[in-house]
Amino acid sequence: MTKKFGSYFLSMALLMLSMQACSQGSGTGAIKADNDRWQQAIEYKMEIDMDVKTNRYQGVQNVKYTNNSPDALDKVFYHLYFNAFQPGSMMDVRSRTIADPDRRVRDRIFNLKEDEIGYQKIKSLKLNGKPVKYEVVGTVLEVHLDQPIASGSTVNFDMEFEAQVPLQIRRTGRDNAEGVRYSMAQWFPKMAEYDYQGWHADEYIGREFYGVWGSFDVKIKIDKDYLIGGTGYLQNPLEIGHGYENEGETVNQKIEDGKLTWHFFAPDVHDFVWAADPEYVHKKLTMKNGMVLHFIHKEGQNEENWDKVMPQTEMLFEYASANFGQYPYKQFSVIQGGDGGMEYPMSTLITGSRGSLIGVTIHEAMHDWYHGILGSNEALHPWMDEGFASYASTRISNHINRVTKGESEPAVTLENLGNNSGQRSYIGLSKSGREEPLSTHSDHFNLNGAYSSSAYGKGAAWMSQMGYVIGEENLNKALLAYFEDWKFKHPNPNDLIRSFEKVAGLELDWYNEYFVYTTKTIDYGVKEVSGEGNKTNVTLEKVGMMPMPMDVVVTYKDGSKEVHYMALRMMRGEKPAETKDKRIVHPDWAWVNPTYDFTIDRPMSDIASIEIDPSGRMADVERGNNKWEVNSLKTNK
């Protein structure tokens, strides 16, 4: 019985949840007795008043929380991310004790002064008007309820809080290396996610994020000279100006005590980011479909590249919507800020003094698909976000480069099918001895480098290699089907593989069993080639422990080619032919067999080479044994 590790228990849990579900509606989905999972729903209303001299702000928050789960909740949790930027925090200790600390962090948190640390302090918290008990534990607020939140009910939490913006170290903070005053990520007390696996009240160690979909109604009061960009649609552009007004409209700024109050609204998102600076300039580009792209950066910094990235970003969104799923929002903002590149709903923060801005913009924008809209648990399954965004970035970058150069799409050949996105990073990791299973929680990798090569590299290889397994045409269809099947539903690895199975008509659970839950590697070789009259006998060898289907391309001396294809028996089918080259489908390979023999119906003297996967999409860790050539005078044993 070949089922992925833990899938039995997951299936049983999902079955039990499905049996308990009813037809109660919610903001982003409904509780149904079918394959759709319930989703919690949330509505934030927040107002803050920022003091740009002290870098502190006072805030009030109302949360309307709907419990669509089948469970009564006797506690809730909030993330207080700013608390990580204090000496002795878990992020600080982790950075000072891990063998390869993030160069941006190292011991910087440990050395912060009192007016440089970050904090979020809760002044009061009420549930439906009554005070509740709570305790701050590091970066998590633990709230214990006298009256549980019943399944299907909606409650209101009211909070007063105050915060100090930390000196910019990692993702969030003030006064970054490029002089941006405020990069306001993870700036508010954020309700933790509760899903079919329970609460996800992870401490902030420095990795990824997971949240509840809902709406954000946010008012930010700040010095009138500051320009803000971020998540959400500005509701009062004619009271603000700063480039948010349409051409010809009259702006009447409502200044109170030297400040403007910016009012944003964002629907169907699980986070809210903003950035502010008095030297920001704001440019807009309206796409043909009416979507508005905002570009916000420090005046006089890298102006030429900021101008170049504008039309390229339009190409990015056109291609991504056509190939990965229709983008559902009406705007996206590219904002100078942060410490590199970081994804947030409807926006990204990037450092702006780069030689080129399009690469980081593509990657961070694609997170809006996988982190923002599909919303996988990025902390638990970072490869489903970082890896897929990296894979998509390769495709989009290639597309933009071709369009910019006036080149057409390349012809489909055996050598240029798909791409091998992420493989070099992954294979280097697999040979290093430091690899951990792709299923490892993002915060629990032994090394930062191992996390990066896994989440980004092996995650991208998961997708590019899937094109090899099911065929590029099926892969393209499956990417769109996956998006439609699971947008706003927090898919897990099993949901992902099922979407691909349904499109390809193949059994693919084995793929995750090996590539996600183990560190077993792929290594196939051409073991032996011998002539026998007008026929040629070939023996393939499975050297690595992970089984894969085989595309074996025979190139003849006259230049013609043919593909010899062997599916895995446990796939229960074959992928379609991918090129117009002659294809011969051989009997399936049973994965327990270490070798596979087949015959070519032409003499050995006609053959120039025999190669396993010339497309390079299979993440074979040792490609030196993949090819036999007649001029080598050996069998590549």
Side-chain angles (χ1 to χ4, degrees):
M1 181 176 180
T2 59
K3 294 295 176 186
K4 74 169 68 71
F5 175 77
S7 62
Y8 172 80
F9 301 102
L10 174 61
S11 298
M12 292 302 295
L14 293 177
L15 177 60
M16 292 176 66
L17 291 176
S18 178
M19 291 173 65
Q20 296 178 64
C22 62
S23 58
Q24 176 76 34
S26 73
T28 56
I31 304 178
K32 303 176 184 178
D34 59 18
N35 291 328
D36 290 343
R37 279 197 295 272
W38 48 265
Q39 302 292 334
Q40 304 294 63
I42 197 164
E43 297 176 18
Y44 287 94
K45 287 188 177 181
M46 291 184 283
E47 296 184 19
I48 68 167
D49 190 342
M50 171 67 78
D51 185 335
V52 298
K53 294 180 180 179
T54 63
N55 303 303
R56 297 172 185 166
Y57 55 94
Q58 303 295 319
V60 294
Q61 179 191 86
N62 170 262
V63 163
K64 183 178 179 182
Y65 184 75
T66 301
N67 178 20
N68 286 322
S69 82
D71 309 315
L73 305 179
D74 60 0
K75 54 189 173 184
V76 299
F77 301 90
Y78 289 78
H79 297 285
L80 305 176
Y81 291 114
F82 274 11
N83 290 0
F85 299 99
Q86 300 175 12
S89 71
M90 289 184 69
M91 181 188 284
D92 170 42
V93 174
R94 176 67 164 170
S95 182
R96 289 187 287 113
T97 57
I98 196 169
D100 61 337
D102 189 314
R103 58 179 174 77
R104 293 165 291 195
V105 184
R106 299 185 184 274
D107 63 351
R108 291 180 63 202
I109 297 175
F110 185 75
N111 291 309
L112 288 175
K113 300 175 184 177
E114 194 65 27
D115 63 348
E116 295 174 335
I117 66 170
Y119 61 71
Q120 289 161 335
K121 297 180 180 180
I122 309 305
K123 298 166 70 174
S124 69
L125 180 62
K126 297 178 181 180
L127 170 61
N128 292 334
K130 296 181 179 180
V132 294
K133 299 175 183 178
Y134 59 84
E135 180 182 6
V136 175
V137 182
T139 63
V140 174
L141 180 70
E142 300 180 353
V143 183
H144 302 276
L145 307 177
D146 294 331
Q147 183 70 35
I149 304 172
S151 174
S153 67
T154 298
V155 297
N156 281 279
F157 288 95
D158 288 291
M159 176 188 293
E160 293 180 322
F161 66 99
E162 62 180 70
Q164 178 170 286
V165 185
L167 187 67
Q168 199 280 320
I169 291 178
R170 190 69 182 98
R171 295 194 173 108
T172 189
R174 63 174 175 86
D175 303 312
N176 79 347
E178 295 179 337
V180 174
R181 283 290 284 131
Y182 296 114
S183 301
M184 298 294 287
Q186 291 81 52
W187 59 275
F188 62 95
K190 180 181 178 182
M191 184 77 77
E193 177 66 279
Y194 184 84
D195 65 12
Y196 68 97
Q197 292 180 305
W199 283 106
H200 295 272
D202 298 342
E203 289 262 10
Y204 184 31
I205 309 300
R207 283 283 184 257
E208 313 296 354
F209 305 95
Y210 186 40
V212 189
W213 275 298
S215 63
F216 286 78
D217 190 317
V218 179
K219 293 180 179 179
I220 303 165
K221 191 174 183 179
I222 194 169
D223 185 280
K224 64 181 177 59
D225 294 330
Y226 279 67
L227 192 160
I228 294 179
T231 302
Y233 309 107
L234 184 63
Q235 300 298 292
N236 58 337
L238 299 186
E239 296 177 0
I240 296 297
H242 285 294
Y244 281 95
E245 72 277 12
N246 294 321
E247 187 175 353
E249 291 183 330
T250 301
V251 175
N252 182 20
Q253 290 187 331
K254 288 194 174 182
I255 301 172
E256 296 180 4
D257 300 324
K259 297 180 179 181
L260 288 173
T261 299
W262 299 64
H263 183 192
F264 293 94
F265 181 76
D268 298 322
V269 295
H270 58 65
D271 205 351
F272 188 102
V273 70
W274 58 282
D277 191 274
E279 297 177 352
Y280 269 159
V281 293
H282 178 199
K283 301 172 184 176
K284 292 187 292 189
L285 186 156
T286 301
M287 295 175 52
K288 290 185 284 291
N289 64 1
M291 179 180 168
V292 178
L293 302 175
H294 298 267
F295 301 86
I296 297 171
H297 65 92
K298 295 277 282 188
E299 186 173 16
Q301 288 191 12
N302 208 15
E303 295 281 358
E304 182 179 353
N305 283 319
W306 278 99
D307 289 339
K308 284 182 180 178
V309 81
M310 293 176 67
Q312 294 170 329
T313 304
E314 180 175 17
M315 286 188 274
L316 143 65
F317 275 91
E318 288 175 343
Y319 184 91
S321 288
N323 290 277
F324 302 105
Q326 182 61 50
Y327 187 72
Y329 309 113
K330 297 178 182 179
Q331 75 176 42
F332 186 83
S333 298
V334 182
I335 307 165
Q336 183 177 0
D339 62 335
M342 184 59 193
E343 68 276 6
Y344 296 98
M346 302 172 67
S347 60
T348 178
L349 297 180
I350 65 172
T351 47
S353 300
R354 302 163 180 263
S356 172
L357 299 173
I358 188 58
V360 66
T361 300
I362 293 171
H363 181 85
E364 304 308 337
M366 284 313 302
H367 279 297
D368 249 30
W369 274 254
Y370 297 108
H371 170 249
I373 300 166
L374 285 159
S376 299
N377 184 341
E378 190 186 21
L380 183 58
H381 310 298
W383 59 278
M384 293 177 66
D385 175 46
E386 296 291 0
F388 295 176
S390 297
Y391 164 81
S393 297
T394 298
R395 285 185 54 175
I396 295 168
S397 295
N398 291 340
H399 169 73
I400 291 176
N401 287 336
R402 284 193 292 267
V403 172
T404 301
K405 295 176 182 178
E407 299 175 354
S408 58
E409 295 290 324
V412 177
T413 66
L414 292 166
E415 289 74 22
N416 69 6
L417 281 166
N419 64 68
N420 59 359
S421 178
Q423 284 192 18
R424 180 180 297 180
S425 176
Y426 155 62
I427 290 173
L429 174 65
S430 72
K431 292 182 176 181
S432 72
R434 300 191 299 269
E435 184 184 6
E436 299 175 65
L438 203 54
S439 55
T440 304
H441 188 287
S442 61
D443 284 330
H444 296 280
F445 278 85
N446 292 329
L447 296 170
N448 282 319
Y451 158 76
S452 296
S453 294
S454 293
Y456 293 76
K458 193 174 184 180
W462 187 102
M463 190 64 77
S464 58
Q465 185 172 245
M466 180 60 78
Y468 171 80
V469 174
I470 67 176
E472 291 297 321
E473 185 176 350
N474 278 335
L475 175 64
N476 292 334
K477 292 177 181 177
L479 282 163
L480 292 170
Y482 172 52
F483 182 85
E484 289 300 320
D485 289 346
W486 288 101
K487 59 186 178 183
F488 302 114
K489 295 179 184 177
H490 297 310
N492 61 43
N494 187 66
D495 303 322
L496 167 70
I497 211 73
R498 288 295 293 133
S499 286
F500 281 65
E501 283 185 330
K502 291 173 184 177
V503 170
L506 301 171
E507 186 171 341
L508 299 171
D509 56 351
W510 59 272
Y511 186 72
N512 273 2
E513 288 168 9
Y514 280 93
F515 209 62
V516 174
Y517 298 102
T518 79
T519 58
K520 295 179 181 181
T521 58
I522 302 164
D523 182 9
Y524 280 86
V526 181
K527 182 177 183 181
E528 188 172 358
V529 179
S530 61
E532 187 178 349
N534 289 327
K535 297 181 181 295
T536 301
N537 299 317
V538 181
T539 299
L540 305 179
E541 181 179 22
K542 181 168 78 75
V543 182
M545 296 300 293
M546 178 171 172
M548 287 291 284
M550 288 287 100
D551 280 344
V552 182
V553 177
V554 179
T555 302
Y556 295 103
K557 292 178 180 179
D558 61 9
S560 62
K561 297 182 179 184
E562 65 185 21
V563 181
H564 291 257
Y565 174 70
M566 308 92 188
L568 287 172
R569 185 186 296 178
M570 60 184 171
M571 289 169 58
R572 305 301 170 194
E574 296 84 28
K575 72 175 177 181
E578 297 186 86
T579 69
K580 295 181 180 180
D581 300 280
K582 179 181 179 182
R583 187 172 85 147
I584 300 168
V585 178
H586 293 277
D588 295 346
W589 189 334
W591 69 269
V592 296
N593 296 337
T595 60
Y596 186 102
D597 299 316
F598 71 97
T599 299
I600 300 170
D601 290 330
R602 287 181 65 171
M604 188 173 173
S605 59
D606 287 354
I607 299 174
S609 67
I610 301 172
E611 182 175 8
I612 299 171
D613 179 34
S615 72
R617 292 171 293 170
M618 186 170 65
D620 193 312
V621 299
E622 185 52 70
R623 296 196 66 84
N625 59 2
N626 284 36
K627 189 173 184 179
W628 175 92
E629 294 181 278
V630 68
N631 58 9
S632 67
L633 299 179
K634 60 182 180 179
T635 57
N636 286 345
K637 291 185 179 179

